[in-house]
Amino acid sequence: MHHTDIDRMRGELLASAGMSANLVEAKPLHSWELSHVERLALADGTTVIFKCATEPFTHEHEALTAAWQAGVSVPRLVESLRSGTTLAMLMEDLGEPDREATDADGLSAAVQLHSAAVPPHLPPADSTWLASLPQRAMRTLELLNAQGRWSDADDIREALRDIDRAAAQRAEGATTAPYGWVHSEFHPESLHVRDGRVRLYDLARAFCGPGLLDLASWHGTVQTPDPDRTRAFLESYVEAGGSASALTRRGGLKPQDWALGWHRVWVLEWFLAQALVWINDVTADPAYTNVVRRHTHDAARLLDI
């Protein structure tokens, strides 16, 4: 995001909250093309977190409010201001964490989130939605090719066609419990642990869908998918109070393979959308191509295609 946009949104939000005269210092914590986060020091000695974002991350204030109302441990929303294709928020400052989140922390957070009441405004994602992802990815790839980009992606296209042919069958069971809140960026870096309390943040892409996508994302996507490790995590999830149906087969597959496979399809479709629409940085195409290629072939293998 551009500094001028960040300054404008910060100023407008503080003015809306009646806090313009209270700002002492703005310390950046995280920044990339689509969002920016700062810790704001105020004249009374307190601090708040300022976050601004552009599309498609402009509904996080609604997700935070709904999660808070449902009893999920999230930062308290102080003020928000949405204008056009941007969102600015002031949130409770949770302070520096005491430690990194563990698997046990992740399990307790997942159980809490997946059992929370789902607000009607969360975008729904069922078997039909899952099955549509390969076609959406192929369409984005075609648009990139039309711009003279991603010309070395024939193997990706062929793998996506194979996945698409089997998608309807493999997507069966998407609404099997746990079905509801999906954090969508669920990994240790999205949990804050302090004073014995675990809180979730980064709910910008939350939706209503298969909770197994969260559980499949916990160990990240950099390393080769490990179904045995994910199976153990699913079993621990059930032991921690999660739905026992997390261990049932779906789409003709073991739950760990189904979860990892569809999570990779969902991730690669998002990376393609970033490459074309949200970030659209031609210089980053080689890196994005490599990531999408890896996820596509991993997904085909995991979904037994």
Side-chain angles (χ1 to χ4, degrees):
M1 300 186 70
H2 298 295
H3 290 296
T4 53
D5 294 329
I6 294 169
D7 292 342
R8 174 183 56 79
M9 283 188 275
R10 186 198 309 110
E12 291 176 353
L13 182 59
L14 289 174
S16 174
M19 299 168 61
S20 297
N22 295 341
L23 179 63
V24 174
E25 181 186 20
K27 180 181 179 181
L29 300 178
H30 175 75
S31 190
W32 72 306
E33 289 89 341
L34 301 177
S35 69
H36 178 83
V37 183
E38 296 175 343
R39 173 173 284 122
L40 304 184
L42 305 178
D44 61 2
T46 62
T47 58
V48 291
I49 296 298
F50 164 66
K51 183 174 184 178
C52 57
T54 63
E55 291 284 2
F57 300 126
T58 55
H59 297 277
E60 186 171 10
H61 60 311
E62 297 172 345
L64 277 172
T65 299
W68 177 275
Q69 293 172 343
V72 180
S73 293
V74 295
R76 180 175 57 87
L77 182 67
V78 177
E79 186 82 10
S80 66
L81 185 63
R82 186 179 177 197
S83 177
T85 59
T86 63
L87 170 69
M89 300 184 295
L90 290 179
M91 296 177 290
E92 170 190 9
D93 185 0
L94 303 179
E96 294 299 322
D98 294 332
R99 58 174 174 80
E100 294 181 357
T102 64
D103 281 4
D105 297 324
L107 291 167
S108 65
V111 170
Q112 182 189 61
L113 182 67
H114 295 165
S115 61
V118 180
H121 63 74
L122 278 188
D126 55 12
S127 296
T128 300
W129 172 80
L130 272 185
S132 73
L133 292 177
Q135 283 193 14
R136 288 163 56 183
M138 285 190 291
R139 176 56 179 161
T140 304
L141 184 55
E142 289 175 2
L143 294 173
L144 286 165
N145 288 163
Q147 296 180 3
R149 301 165 60 186
W150 290 55
S151 57
D152 60 342
D154 288 346
D155 62 315
I156 296 175
R157 183 179 297 100
E158 289 304 315
L160 285 172
R161 285 174 180 165
D162 291 340
I163 295 172
D164 182 55
R165 292 188 190 101
Q169 179 185 6
R170 289 291 184 258
E172 291 176 355
T175 57
T176 300
Y179 182 82
W181 276 93
V182 178
H183 182 282
S184 86
E185 301 287 348
F186 191 68
H187 45 70
E189 290 75 23
S190 295
L191 267 63
H192 182 280
V193 184
R194 185 182 173 95
D195 298 330
R197 186 175 179 184
V198 180
R199 281 179 279 196
L200 277 166
Y201 57 94
D202 280 349
L203 289 163
R205 297 185 68 205
F207 61 93
C208 178
L212 261 63
L213 295 180
D214 274 344
L215 302 177
S217 74
W218 177 254
H219 294 123
T221 59
V222 175
Q223 304 299 324
T224 301
D226 186 340
D228 290 339
R229 188 183 189 189
T230 300
R231 173 71 188 201
F233 196 65
L234 293 178
E235 291 175 352
S236 296
Y237 171 81
V238 173
E239 292 172 2
S243 172
S245 296
L247 300 179
T248 61
R249 294 176 66 90
R250 55 200 76 200
L253 301 168
K254 296 176 182 177
Q256 60 270 26
D257 294 336
W258 188 94
L260 287 168
W262 279 114
H263 179 259
R264 268 50 181 183
V265 175
W266 179 71
V267 169
L268 72 87
E269 194 275 333
W270 164 241
F271 271 110
L272 281 163
Q274 285 189 64
L276 179 69
V277 180
W278 304 118
I279 296 178
N280 194 20
D281 179 2
V282 176
T283 65
D285 280 355
Y288 275 97
T289 303
N290 287 337
V291 171
V292 169
R293 174 174 288 112
R294 175 163 54 85
H295 287 335
T296 304
H297 292 298
D298 283 344
R301 183 179 70 256
L302 289 160
L303 296 176
D304 193 23
I305 294 169

